[in-house]
Each structure stands twice: as structure tokens, then as C-alpha cells.
PDB file of all heavy atoms in Angstrom:
ATOM      1  N   LEU A   1      -4.607   8.434   1.393  1.00 95.00           N
ATOM      2  CA  LEU A   1      -4.350   6.995   1.426  1.00 95.00           C
ATOM      3  C   LEU A   1      -2.970   6.664   2.015  1.00 95.00           C
ATOM      4  O   LEU A   1      -2.840   5.768   2.854  1.00 95.00           O
ATOM      5  CB  LEU A   1      -4.474   6.410   0.014  1.00 95.00           C
ATOM      6  CG  LEU A   1      -4.468   4.875  -0.061  1.00 95.00           C
ATOM      7  CD1 LEU A   1      -5.703   4.312   0.644  1.00 95.00           C
ATOM      8  CD2 LEU A   1      -4.420   4.396  -1.511  1.00 95.00           C
ATOM      9  N   THR A   2      -1.948   7.397   1.590  1.00 95.00           N
ATOM     10  CA  THR A   2      -0.601   7.149   2.122  1.00 95.00           C
ATOM     11  C   THR A   2      -0.559   7.399   3.627  1.00 95.00           C
ATOM     12  O   THR A   2       0.039   6.619   4.389  1.00 95.00           O
ATOM     13  CB  THR A   2       0.422   8.043   1.404  1.00 95.00           C
ATOM     14  OG1 THR A   2       0.369   7.798  -0.002  1.00 95.00           O
ATOM     15  CG2 THR A   2       1.833   7.757   1.897  1.00 95.00           C
ATOM     16  N   GLU A   3      -1.214   8.467   4.058  1.00 94.00           N
ATOM     17  CA  GLU A   3      -1.260   8.772   5.485  1.00 94.00           C
ATOM     18  C   GLU A   3      -1.982   7.672   6.263  1.00 94.00           C
ATOM     19  O   GLU A   3      -1.564   7.308   7.375  1.00 94.00           O
ATOM     20  CB  GLU A   3      -1.965  10.112   5.690  1.00 94.00           C
ATOM     21  CG  GLU A   3      -2.091  10.549   7.136  1.00 94.00           C
ATOM     22  CD  GLU A   3      -2.890  11.839   7.277  1.00 94.00           C
ATOM     23  OE1 GLU A   3      -3.104  12.524   6.256  1.00 94.00           O
ATOM     24  OE2 GLU A   3      -3.308  12.141   8.413  1.00 94.00           O
ATOM     25  N   PHE A   4      -3.046   7.110   5.679  1.00 94.00           N
ATOM     26  CA  PHE A   4      -3.807   6.055   6.345  1.00 94.00           C
ATOM     27  C   PHE A   4      -2.918   4.833   6.597  1.00 94.00           C
ATOM     28  O   PHE A   4      -2.878   4.290   7.710  1.00 94.00           O
ATOM     29  CB  PHE A   4      -5.016   5.675   5.498  1.00 94.00           C
ATOM     30  CG  PHE A   4      -5.760   4.469   5.998  1.00 94.00           C
ATOM     31  CD1 PHE A   4      -6.705   4.583   7.004  1.00 94.00           C
ATOM     32  CD2 PHE A   4      -5.494   3.206   5.473  1.00 94.00           C
ATOM     33  CE1 PHE A   4      -7.384   3.454   7.477  1.00 94.00           C
ATOM     34  CE2 PHE A   4      -6.159   2.086   5.931  1.00 94.00           C
ATOM     35  CZ  PHE A   4      -7.108   2.214   6.944  1.00 94.00           C
ATOM     36  N   PHE A   5      -2.186   4.394   5.559  1.00 94.00           N
ATOM     37  CA  PHE A   5      -1.356   3.200   5.716  1.00 94.00           C
ATOM     38  C   PHE A   5      -0.117   3.475   6.569  1.00 94.00           C
ATOM     39  O   PHE A   5       0.428   2.554   7.175  1.00 94.00           O
ATOM     40  CB  PHE A   5      -0.965   2.644   4.346  1.00 94.00           C
ATOM     41  CG  PHE A   5      -2.059   1.865   3.674  1.00 94.00           C
ATOM     42  CD1 PHE A   5      -2.692   2.350   2.544  1.00 94.00           C
ATOM     43  CD2 PHE A   5      -2.472   0.653   4.184  1.00 94.00           C
ATOM     44  CE1 PHE A   5      -3.712   1.636   1.929  1.00 94.00           C
ATOM     45  CE2 PHE A   5      -3.489  -0.074   3.579  1.00 94.00           C
ATOM     46  CZ  PHE A   5      -4.109   0.426   2.454  1.00 94.00           C
ATOM     47  N   ALA A   6       0.325   4.726   6.618  1.00 94.00           N
ATOM     48  CA  ALA A   6       1.463   5.061   7.472  1.00 94.00           C
ATOM     49  C   ALA A   6       1.118   4.882   8.955  1.00 94.00           C
ATOM     50  O   ALA A   6       1.987   4.576   9.779  1.00 94.00           O
ATOM     51  CB  ALA A   6       1.910   6.494   7.205  1.00 94.00           C
ATOM     52  N   LYS A   7      -0.161   5.053   9.300  1.00 92.00           N
ATOM     53  CA  LYS A   7      -0.614   4.930  10.688  1.00 92.00           C
ATOM     54  C   LYS A   7      -1.073   3.507  11.020  1.00 92.00           C
ATOM     55  O   LYS A   7      -1.274   3.185  12.192  1.00 92.00           O
ATOM     56  CB  LYS A   7      -1.756   5.913  10.955  1.00 92.00           C
ATOM     57  CG  LYS A   7      -1.335   7.379  10.847  1.00 92.00           C
ATOM     58  CD  LYS A   7      -2.518   8.294  11.076  1.00 92.00           C
ATOM     59  CE  LYS A   7      -2.122   9.760  10.968  1.00 92.00           C
ATOM     60  NZ  LYS A   7      -3.285  10.662  11.165  1.00 92.00           N
ATOM     61  N   CYS A   8      -1.264   2.664   9.999  1.00 91.00           N
ATOM     62  CA  CYS A   8      -1.766   1.297  10.215  1.00 91.00           C
ATOM     63  C   CYS A   8      -0.662   0.381  10.754  1.00 91.00           C
ATOM     64  O   CYS A   8       0.517   0.568  10.457  1.00 91.00           O
ATOM     65  CB  CYS A   8      -2.281   0.707   8.902  1.00 91.00           C
ATOM     66  SG  CYS A   8      -4.001   1.077   8.576  1.00 91.00           S
ATOM     67  N   ALA A   9      -1.068  -0.616  11.508  1.00 90.00           N
ATOM     68  CA  ALA A   9      -0.133  -1.669  11.908  1.00 90.00           C
ATOM     69  C   ALA A   9       0.233  -2.482  10.669  1.00 90.00           C
ATOM     70  O   ALA A   9      -0.536  -2.526   9.703  1.00 90.00           O
ATOM     71  CB  ALA A   9      -0.784  -2.560  12.961  1.00 90.00           C
ATOM     72  N   PRO A  10       1.418  -3.114  10.657  1.00 92.00           N
ATOM     73  CA  PRO A  10       1.826  -3.910   9.489  1.00 92.00           C
ATOM     74  C   PRO A  10       0.739  -4.898   9.063  1.00 92.00           C
ATOM     75  O   PRO A  10       0.216  -5.665   9.879  1.00 92.00           O
ATOM     76  CB  PRO A  10       3.079  -4.645   9.985  1.00 92.00           C
ATOM     77  CG  PRO A  10       3.631  -3.737  11.035  1.00 92.00           C
ATOM     78  CD  PRO A  10       2.432  -3.124  11.721  1.00 92.00           C
ATOM     79  N   SER A  11       0.379  -4.859   7.786  1.00 93.00           N
ATOM     80  CA  SER A  11      -0.719  -5.668   7.263  1.00 93.00           C
ATOM     81  C   SER A  11      -0.355  -6.205   5.894  1.00 93.00           C
ATOM     82  O   SER A  11       0.606  -5.766   5.258  1.00 93.00           O
ATOM     83  CB  SER A  11      -2.009  -4.844   7.171  1.00 93.00           C
ATOM     84  OG  SER A  11      -2.323  -4.236   8.401  1.00 93.00           O
ATOM     85  N   LEU A  12      -1.170  -7.164   5.447  1.00 95.00           N
ATOM     86  CA  LEU A  12      -1.078  -7.649   4.067  1.00 95.00           C
ATOM     87  C   LEU A  12      -2.168  -6.937   3.276  1.00 95.00           C
ATOM     88  O   LEU A  12      -3.359  -7.170   3.495  1.00 95.00           O
ATOM     89  CB  LEU A  12      -1.280  -9.160   4.009  1.00 95.00           C
ATOM     90  CG  LEU A  12      -1.390  -9.765   2.599  1.00 95.00           C
ATOM     91  CD1 LEU A  12      -0.103  -9.551   1.812  1.00 95.00           C
ATOM     92  CD2 LEU A  12      -1.716 -11.248   2.671  1.00 95.00           C
ATOM     93  N   VAL A  13      -1.755  -6.039   2.380  1.00 96.00           N
ATOM     94  CA  VAL A  13      -2.702  -5.240   1.601  1.00 96.00           C
ATOM     95  C   VAL A  13      -2.860  -5.889   0.230  1.00 96.00           C
ATOM     96  O   VAL A  13      -1.891  -5.994  -0.532  1.00 96.00           O
ATOM     97  CB  VAL A  13      -2.221  -3.784   1.456  1.00 96.00           C
ATOM     98  CG1 VAL A  13      -3.264  -2.958   0.704  1.00 96.00           C
ATOM     99  CG2 VAL A  13      -1.935  -3.173   2.826  1.00 96.00           C
ATOM    100  N   ALA A  14      -4.075  -6.324  -0.069  1.00 95.00           N
ATOM    101  CA  ALA A  14      -4.348  -7.011  -1.329  1.00 95.00           C
ATOM    102  C   ALA A  14      -5.076  -6.078  -2.287  1.00 95.00           C
ATOM    103  O   ALA A  14      -5.960  -5.314  -1.878  1.00 95.00           O
ATOM    104  CB  ALA A  14      -5.196  -8.256  -1.078  1.00 95.00           C
ATOM    105  N   MET A  15      -4.671  -6.132  -3.563  1.00 96.00           N
ATOM    106  CA  MET A  15      -5.278  -5.296  -4.607  1.00 96.00           C
ATOM    107  C   MET A  15      -5.396  -6.099  -5.888  1.00 96.00           C
ATOM    108  O   MET A  15      -4.680  -7.097  -6.074  1.00 96.00           O
ATOM    109  CB  MET A  15      -4.397  -4.065  -4.888  1.00 96.00           C
ATOM    110  CG  MET A  15      -4.201  -3.130  -3.723  1.00 96.00           C
ATOM    111  SD  MET A  15      -2.808  -1.994  -3.994  1.00 96.00           S
ATOM    112  CE  MET A  15      -1.441  -3.044  -3.508  1.00 96.00           C
ATOM    113  N   GLU A  16      -6.282  -5.667  -6.755  1.00 95.00           N
ATOM    114  CA  GLU A  16      -6.325  -6.230  -8.099  1.00 95.00           C
ATOM    115  C   GLU A  16      -5.173  -5.663  -8.909  1.00 95.00           C
ATOM    116  O   GLU A  16      -4.800  -4.499  -8.743  1.00 95.00           O
ATOM    117  CB  GLU A  16      -7.645  -5.902  -8.792  1.00 95.00           C
ATOM    118  CG  GLU A  16      -8.830  -6.705  -8.297  1.00 95.00           C
ATOM    119  CD  GLU A  16     -10.098  -6.415  -9.083  1.00 95.00           C
ATOM    120  OE1 GLU A  16     -10.231  -5.289  -9.605  1.00 95.00           O
ATOM    121  OE2 GLU A  16     -10.948  -7.311  -9.184  1.00 95.00           O
ATOM    122  N   ALA A  17      -4.599  -6.481  -9.793  1.00 92.00           N
ATOM    123  CA  ALA A  17      -3.517  -6.016 -10.668  1.00 92.00           C
ATOM    124  C   ALA A  17      -4.132  -5.227 -11.822  1.00 92.00           C
ATOM    125  O   ALA A  17      -4.434  -5.763 -12.882  1.00 92.00           O
ATOM    126  CB  ALA A  17      -2.718  -7.204 -11.186  1.00 92.00           C
ATOM    127  N   CYS A  18      -4.340  -3.940 -11.586  1.00 90.00           N
ATOM    128  CA  CYS A  18      -4.967  -3.083 -12.584  1.00 90.00           C
ATOM    129  C   CYS A  18      -4.156  -1.787 -12.680  1.00 90.00           C
ATOM    130  O   CYS A  18      -3.034  -1.703 -12.186  1.00 90.00           O
ATOM    131  CB  CYS A  18      -6.416  -2.802 -12.197  1.00 90.00           C
ATOM    132  SG  CYS A  18      -6.589  -2.036 -10.578  1.00 90.00           S
ATOM    133  N   GLY A  19      -4.719  -0.766 -13.316  1.00 88.00           N
ATOM    134  CA  GLY A  19      -4.026   0.497 -13.464  1.00 88.00           C
ATOM    135  C   GLY A  19      -3.618   1.102 -12.130  1.00 88.00           C
ATOM    136  O   GLY A  19      -4.430   1.178 -11.212  1.00 88.00           O
ATOM    137  N   SER A  20      -2.359   1.516 -12.030  1.00 92.00           N
ATOM    138  CA  SER A  20      -1.733   2.136 -10.851  1.00 92.00           C
ATOM    139  C   SER A  20      -1.473   1.151  -9.716  1.00 92.00           C
ATOM    140  O   SER A  20      -0.969   1.541  -8.656  1.00 92.00           O
ATOM    141  CB  SER A  20      -2.573   3.313 -10.321  1.00 92.00           C
ATOM    142  OG  SER A  20      -3.711   2.880  -9.591  1.00 92.00           O
ATOM    143  N   ALA A  21      -1.780  -0.136  -9.897  1.00 94.00           N
ATOM    144  CA  ALA A  21      -1.608  -1.119  -8.822  1.00 94.00           C
ATOM    145  C   ALA A  21      -0.139  -1.275  -8.421  1.00 94.00           C
ATOM    146  O   ALA A  21       0.187  -1.358  -7.232  1.00 94.00           O
ATOM    147  CB  ALA A  21      -2.180  -2.472  -9.250  1.00 94.00           C
ATOM    148  N   HIS A  22       0.755  -1.299  -9.394  1.00 95.00           N
ATOM    149  CA  HIS A  22       2.171  -1.478  -9.079  1.00 95.00           C
ATOM    150  C   HIS A  22       2.712  -0.264  -8.323  1.00 95.00           C
ATOM    151  O   HIS A  22       3.537  -0.401  -7.410  1.00 95.00           O
ATOM    152  CB  HIS A  22       2.975  -1.723 -10.358  1.00 95.00           C
ATOM    153  CG  HIS A  22       2.664  -3.029 -11.013  1.00 95.00           C
ATOM    154  ND1 HIS A  22       3.251  -4.214 -10.632  1.00 95.00           N
ATOM    155  CD2 HIS A  22       1.805  -3.340 -12.024  1.00 95.00           C
ATOM    156  CE1 HIS A  22       2.791  -5.201 -11.384  1.00 95.00           C
ATOM    157  NE2 HIS A  22       1.914  -4.693 -12.232  1.00 95.00           N
ATOM    158  N   HIS A  23       2.253   0.924  -8.685  1.00 95.00           N
ATOM    159  CA  HIS A  23       2.679   2.135  -7.970  1.00 95.00           C
ATOM    160  C   HIS A  23       2.250   2.075  -6.513  1.00 95.00           C
ATOM    161  O   HIS A  23       3.057   2.324  -5.601  1.00 95.00           O
ATOM    162  CB  HIS A  23       2.076   3.367  -8.643  1.00 95.00           C
ATOM    163  CG  HIS A  23       2.076   4.586  -7.765  1.00 95.00           C
ATOM    164  ND1 HIS A  23       3.221   5.288  -7.456  1.00 95.00           N
ATOM    165  CD2 HIS A  23       1.051   5.204  -7.097  1.00 95.00           C
ATOM    166  CE1 HIS A  23       2.917   6.292  -6.651  1.00 95.00           C
ATOM    167  NE2 HIS A  23       1.619   6.267  -6.421  1.00 95.00           N
ATOM    168  N   TRP A  24       0.992   1.735  -6.279  1.00 95.00           N
ATOM    169  CA  TRP A  24       0.497   1.689  -4.900  1.00 95.00           C
ATOM    170  C   TRP A  24       1.133   0.534  -4.130  1.00 95.00           C
ATOM    171  O   TRP A  24       1.376   0.647  -2.914  1.00 95.00           O
ATOM    172  CB  TRP A  24      -1.030   1.582  -4.891  1.00 95.00           C
ATOM    173  CG  TRP A  24      -1.690   2.878  -5.235  1.00 95.00           C
ATOM    174  CD1 TRP A  24      -2.435   3.165  -6.349  1.00 95.00           C
ATOM    175  CD2 TRP A  24      -1.644   4.086  -4.472  1.00 95.00           C
ATOM    176  NE1 TRP A  24      -2.857   4.454  -6.336  1.00 95.00           N
ATOM    177  CE2 TRP A  24      -2.396   5.062  -5.185  1.00 95.00           C
ATOM    178  CE3 TRP A  24      -1.054   4.452  -3.275  1.00 95.00           C
ATOM    179  CZ2 TRP A  24      -2.562   6.366  -4.723  1.00 95.00           C
ATOM    180  CZ3 TRP A  24      -1.213   5.754  -2.813  1.00 95.00           C
ATOM    181  CH2 TRP A  24      -1.953   6.690  -3.532  1.00 95.00           C
ATOM    182  N   ALA A  25       1.436  -0.557  -4.802  1.00 95.00           N
ATOM    183  CA  ALA A  25       2.104  -1.675  -4.117  1.00 95.00           C
ATOM    184  C   ALA A  25       3.493  -1.249  -3.634  1.00 95.00           C
ATOM    185  O   ALA A  25       3.897  -1.570  -2.512  1.00 95.00           O
ATOM    186  CB  ALA A  25       2.202  -2.873  -5.057  1.00 95.00           C
ATOM    187  N   ARG A  26       4.220  -0.533  -4.488  1.00 95.00           N
ATOM    188  CA  ARG A  26       5.544  -0.051  -4.070  1.00 95.00           C
ATOM    189  C   ARG A  26       5.432   0.947  -2.918  1.00 95.00           C
ATOM    190  O   ARG A  26       6.221   0.917  -1.958  1.00 95.00           O
ATOM    191  CB  ARG A  26       6.264   0.596  -5.266  1.00 95.00           C
ATOM    192  CG  ARG A  26       6.671  -0.377  -6.356  1.00 95.00           C
ATOM    193  CD  ARG A  26       7.625   0.290  -7.344  1.00 95.00           C
ATOM    194  NE  ARG A  26       7.003   1.402  -8.056  1.00 95.00           N
ATOM    195  CZ  ARG A  26       6.407   1.299  -9.233  1.00 95.00           C
ATOM    196  NH1 ARG A  26       6.340   0.123  -9.846  1.00 95.00           N
ATOM    197  NH2 ARG A  26       5.874   2.360  -9.825  1.00 95.00           N
ATOM    198  N   THR A  27       4.442   1.834  -3.000  1.00 95.00           N
ATOM    199  CA  THR A  27       4.245   2.834  -1.946  1.00 95.00           C
ATOM    200  C   THR A  27       3.896   2.172  -0.621  1.00 95.00           C
ATOM    201  O   THR A  27       4.441   2.515   0.439  1.00 95.00           O
ATOM    202  CB  THR A  27       3.129   3.816  -2.347  1.00 95.00           C
ATOM    203  OG1 THR A  27       3.480   4.449  -3.583  1.00 95.00           O
ATOM    204  CG2 THR A  27       2.912   4.869  -1.272  1.00 95.00           C
ATOM    205  N   ILE A  28       2.983   1.208  -0.668  1.00 95.00           N
ATOM    206  CA  ILE A  28       2.539   0.515   0.554  1.00 95.00           C
ATOM    207  C   ILE A  28       3.671  -0.292   1.163  1.00 95.00           C
ATOM    208  O   ILE A  28       3.841  -0.333   2.378  1.00 95.00           O
ATOM    209  CB  ILE A  28       1.311  -0.359   0.228  1.00 95.00           C
ATOM    210  CG1 ILE A  28       0.090   0.538  -0.027  1.00 95.00           C
ATOM    211  CG2 ILE A  28       1.022  -1.352   1.342  1.00 95.00           C
ATOM    212  CD1 ILE A  28      -1.100  -0.182  -0.625  1.00 95.00           C
ATOM    213  N   ARG A  29       4.490  -0.923   0.323  1.00 95.00           N
ATOM    214  CA  ARG A  29       5.641  -1.665   0.838  1.00 95.00           C
ATOM    215  C   ARG A  29       6.631  -0.736   1.537  1.00 95.00           C
ATOM    216  O   ARG A  29       7.242  -1.110   2.543  1.00 95.00           O
ATOM    217  CB  ARG A  29       6.332  -2.407  -0.306  1.00 95.00           C
ATOM    218  CG  ARG A  29       5.618  -3.670  -0.733  1.00 95.00           C
ATOM    219  CD  ARG A  29       6.392  -4.391  -1.827  1.00 95.00           C
ATOM    220  NE  ARG A  29       5.801  -5.692  -2.145  1.00 95.00           N
ATOM    221  CZ  ARG A  29       6.277  -6.522  -3.052  1.00 95.00           C
ATOM    222  NH1 ARG A  29       7.357  -6.206  -3.744  1.00 95.00           N
ATOM    223  NH2 ARG A  29       5.683  -7.692  -3.278  1.00 95.00           N
ATOM    224  N   SER A  30       6.812   0.464   1.004  1.00 95.00           N
ATOM    225  CA  SER A  30       7.753   1.408   1.618  1.00 95.00           C
ATOM    226  C   SER A  30       7.285   1.867   2.990  1.00 95.00           C
ATOM    227  O   SER A  30       8.081   2.397   3.776  1.00 95.00           O
ATOM    228  CB  SER A  30       7.936   2.628   0.702  1.00 95.00           C
ATOM    229  OG  SER A  30       6.745   3.404   0.640  1.00 95.00           O
ATOM    230  N   LEU A  31       5.995   1.662   3.304  1.00 94.00           N
ATOM    231  CA  LEU A  31       5.436   2.056   4.597  1.00 94.00           C
ATOM    232  C   LEU A  31       5.448   0.900   5.603  1.00 94.00           C
ATOM    233  O   LEU A  31       4.869   1.022   6.682  1.00 94.00           O
ATOM    234  CB  LEU A  31       4.007   2.570   4.410  1.00 94.00           C
ATOM    235  CG  LEU A  31       3.871   3.837   3.542  1.00 94.00           C
ATOM    236  CD1 LEU A  31       2.406   4.145   3.275  1.00 94.00           C
ATOM    237  CD2 LEU A  31       4.553   5.023   4.202  1.00 94.00           C
ATOM    238  N   GLY A  32       6.074  -0.213   5.236  1.00 93.00           N
ATOM    239  CA  GLY A  32       6.222  -1.324   6.170  1.00 93.00           C
ATOM    240  C   GLY A  32       5.178  -2.414   6.056  1.00 93.00           C
ATOM    241  O   GLY A  32       5.134  -3.318   6.898  1.00 93.00           O
ATOM    242  N   HIS A  33       4.342  -2.368   5.024  1.00 95.00           N
ATOM    243  CA  HIS A  33       3.315  -3.390   4.824  1.00 95.00           C
ATOM    244  C   HIS A  33       3.761  -4.377   3.750  1.00 95.00           C
ATOM    245  O   HIS A  33       4.753  -4.156   3.047  1.00 95.00           O
ATOM    246  CB  HIS A  33       1.988  -2.741   4.411  1.00 95.00           C
ATOM    247  CG  HIS A  33       1.475  -1.734   5.384  1.00 95.00           C
ATOM    248  ND1 HIS A  33       0.764  -2.077   6.517  1.00 95.00           N
ATOM    249  CD2 HIS A  33       1.578  -0.377   5.400  1.00 95.00           C
ATOM    250  CE1 HIS A  33       0.437  -0.983   7.185  1.00 95.00           C
ATOM    251  NE2 HIS A  33       0.918   0.057   6.533  1.00 95.00           N
ATOM    252  N   GLN A  34       3.007  -5.441   3.603  1.00 94.00           N
ATOM    253  CA  GLN A  34       3.183  -6.381   2.506  1.00 94.00           C
ATOM    254  C   GLN A  34       2.075  -6.120   1.486  1.00 94.00           C
ATOM    255  O   GLN A  34       0.920  -5.906   1.860  1.00 94.00           O
ATOM    256  CB  GLN A  34       3.116  -7.824   2.995  1.00 94.00           C
ATOM    257  CG  GLN A  34       4.225  -8.216   3.961  1.00 94.00           C
ATOM    258  CD  GLN A  34       5.585  -8.131   3.323  1.00 94.00           C
ATOM    259  OE1 GLN A  34       5.806  -8.644   2.227  1.00 94.00           O
ATOM    260  NE2 GLN A  34       6.514  -7.478   4.003  1.00 94.00           N
TER     261      GLN A  34
END
């Protein structure tokens, strides 16, 4: 998953606020996405 978003163009990634959501939100933001 991290590799996939690292190769993606900057995007707005939407998720449900559930288990592990905050971790993935921080990870995705560090890769240049919102």
C-alpha cells in the first residue's frame, strides 16, 4: 500500500475513521497526498 501511494500523483485519499485510520492518514500525508 505504501509503495502504491508513493507512485501515485498527489491525490485526496478518503477513509473511514476506524481502526488504524489515523496511522494510514499520517503515512499517506508523508507521501505528498492529502
